[in-house]
């Protein structure tokens, strides 16, 4: 059908503080580093975003897991 998009098998939503570890796990699939360090830095970014500072952060979620 023309003009239709394929169905997505994930949802996209604004990231929350509890997503830091999931985001870190995904980030470390493409970057070097320690999990704890990545999770801490990402948690800081999420805190800034929650206060309206810095960037907006969104996550893709499938079955309640960040993908």
């Amino acid at each position: 059908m023309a003009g239709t998009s394929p169905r997505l098998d994930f949802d996209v939503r604004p990231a929350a503080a509890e997503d830091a570890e999931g985001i870190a796990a995904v980030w470390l699939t493409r970057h070097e580093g320690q999990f704890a360090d990545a999770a801490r830095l990402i948690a800081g970014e999420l805190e800034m975003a929650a206060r309206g500072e810095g960037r907006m952060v969104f996550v893709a979620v499938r079955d309640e897991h960040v993908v």
Side-chain angles (χ1 to χ4, degrees), residues 2-62:
T4 61
S5 298
R7 273 186 86 86
L8 301 176
D9 65 344
F10 58 88
D11 294 316
V12 176
R13 62 167 172 72
E18 58 269 13
D19 294 321
E21 289 185 359
I23 295 169
V26 171
W27 190 83
L28 287 170
T29 66
R30 298 284 188 186
H31 300 88
E32 297 283 327
Q34 298 296 315
F35 179 80
D37 294 335
R40 184 177 27 62
L41 292 171
I42 291 166
E45 288 289 326
L46 294 176
E47 288 173 15
M48 287 176 55
R51 292 190 306 263
E53 304 168 2
R55 65 189 97 198
M56 293 173 43
V57 181
F58 292 86
V59 290
V61 180
R62 183 183 325 140

